[in-house]
Structures are given as C-alpha cells and as structure tokens.
Amino acid sequence: MRKVYKPLGFQKGYNFPLFTIFGGAMLGFTLARLSYLNIGGSASSSFKNGSSPGEWYNYHSGHYRIGITLHLVTIIPAGFLAVFQFIPVIRHKLLLIHRLNGYTILLLSLLGNVGALMIARRAFGGGLDIQAAVGLLAIITTLSLGIAYYNIKRLQIDQHRAWMLRSWFYFGVIITTRIIMIITALIISTQKNYYATRPCGELAYIQTGNSDLENQPPSFAQRYPQCINTSENTPVPINASMTDGDAENVGVALGMSFGMAIWLALFLHAVGVEVYLNLTPREGERLRMVSYERQLERGFANPGSAGLVVERWGDAREWVPVDRRERVER
C-alpha cells in the first residue's frame, strides 16, 4: 500500500483510503456529469434528456436557462479540479499549479453558487425546503471558501486546510443527496399514497414536448381532464412512483424525496467533516507550526495566529509554538 500512496505524497496511512473514497466519489460524479455540459442537446446523455422528468420544462428558457447553464458549466469543472488540490505531491512540488488551480476553482465555485441560487425556485419542484437548503449551501460554501482564502493569504495554513475541507465536504452534499433521494423515491413508490401537484404546462411538456394546452393530443386530455380549457399553471395531483405510471410520476417521486435528502446529506457532511478535523489534531498542529515559521519569516504580527484562529474570537488560551512550550515546561 505504501508503494501506492507514498509517491502521491501521503504520509499517514489513513489519509489515502479517505482520499480514495471521498476524492474518488467527487471525481466519479463530475466525470459522470460531464455530459451535462451539453445543456440542451439532443443526445440521450445531455442535461435536457438526462435530468429528472419535468426539470427541462422550467429550465428550457428565460433566466432559469441562464442559471442552469451557469451552474453546470462552472461547478462540474470546479469539482473535477478540486480533487487534485488534495493530492500532497502537487501542493509540495507543483506549488504554482496548486495556486493557479485554486484560484480557478474559487472563481468557478462562486459562479456555480450564483447559478444554483438562480434555479433554486424550480429545482426538483422548488419547495421552500429545497430553496432553504440551496440558499444555506450557497452561504456556507461561499463563507468557507472566503475564510480559507483569507487564511492562506495570511499564511495560516492549518486554518486554510480546515476551511477548504469544510467547503468541499459541503459541496459534496449533492452526491450523498442523490443516493438518499433515489432510495427514498423507491421506498415511497411502494406506498402508493404520496402525491404532489404539478402544473398542466409541465405535464403537457413531459408528455409531448409542448406546453401549449390548446395543441395536445386527445390522449393527454383523457389522462388529465383537469387541464382542458385552463391555464398552464393549473395544478394537478400526481402520484409519486418510480415503478408505476409515466415520466411525471418518476419526476414527482424524485422531487418529493429531494428536499428531505439534501437536508439529511447536509447534516451528515457537516458532522462528518468536523469529526475528521477533531480526529486529526496532530496534523492541524503540524501545519500551525509551519504557519508560525512562515509568518515569522514574513514579519507578521502574532506569528502562528495571524489568520482567523479560534483565540481571536473565543476564550481559548493563547497559542504558543512547541519550542516555547518546552521552555515553559522546564
């Protein structure tokens, strides 16, 4: 195993398996979603044809089309590039590439958040639970990236590490969300008593690719008589089912599951990253000593604590470097 992870710069045996799991998940997810960069194409793998049924009805025009395009063309490359930021050999031996890649990821991620906020009202039904989750994710990822950026400019490497880990654990919420969403959708499909409303225009668009209710085939009127002589926004109750029914039933099953899934995934990721950071205090202390040495060399005030550290905000004891601690103990 050491022959595998040592050339990549990993010094601790536990780091490489964790990187393989979480970095591999991010890499695999972004590679699988590269085809979504073909936003409105006719290919079966495009976002138009590969997204949840009904999504393209909301995204095919207007500012929602701009939002989904901005989100996908920025966040997918950002997720792919972010994996390489956590490979130690790149940070140590290819520092310029690490920095340039970091600036690129920062810009792409922030633009991706803008796109996500633009489409939150329509994402998987756009319920208030989903809008709140998207808004919260945009806030905490932006804040985490901003704090990480500030800390690295202040050479506070330990805190840069912590906040970058937090930001990308938060971004990774969408991967876990998809897993939970699909499992939940399959479960509620067996109950056959979960319903949500969808507008007539969306149902018509799913069935025929045209939302004009005046130009629908007789089969649509027979299936949805509520949509006769009415507006596109008239709501119709649809059963949530991944197994029985048509595409709109699948879309409702996924949409009903998404809100719960994203909140549960956010909880798991937020707790998980804090558990990891608290289980690796020696790595944090090692990087703080590195920060101390570099800040001292650059003439920073309060070397070792020039960035955003806990002592500046809470009642923690003042941090002192290891050599000073040893002198005090003697």
Side-chain angles (χ1 to χ4, degrees), residues 270-280:
V271 172
V273 70
E274 297 304 324
V275 169
Y276 174 76
L277 290 172
N278 280 277
L279 287 177
T280 55

Side-chain angles (χ1 to χ4, degrees), residues 180-190 240-242 253-254 257:
I180 299 173
M181 176 183 69
I182 293 172
I183 294 173
T184 305
L186 290 171
I187 292 174
I188 66 174
S189 296
T190 65
S241 177
M242 296 284 287
L254 294 173
S257 305

Side-chain angles (χ1 to χ4, degrees), residues 8-10 19 23 26-27 77-109 145 148-149 152 157 160-165 167-168 283 287:
L8 295 175
F10 291 99
F19 172 79
M26 179 63 75
L27 188 64
F80 175 79
L81 294 173
V83 176
F84 300 95
Q85 292 295 91
F86 295 96
I87 299 178
V89 70
I90 295 178
R91 296 198 305 268
H92 299 154
K93 295 186 178 182
L94 301 170
L95 185 58
L96 180 59
I97 292 177
H98 178 74
R99 288 176 176 173
L100 293 175
N101 195 36
Y103 285 122
T104 303
I105 292 167
L106 181 62
L107 177 61
L108 290 174
S109 300
L145 289 171
Y149 176 76
I152 199 59
I157 302 170
H160 175 71
R161 161 189 177 259
W163 285 101
M164 272 302 178
L165 281 170
S167 66
W168 282 99
E283 179 63 10
L287 290 175

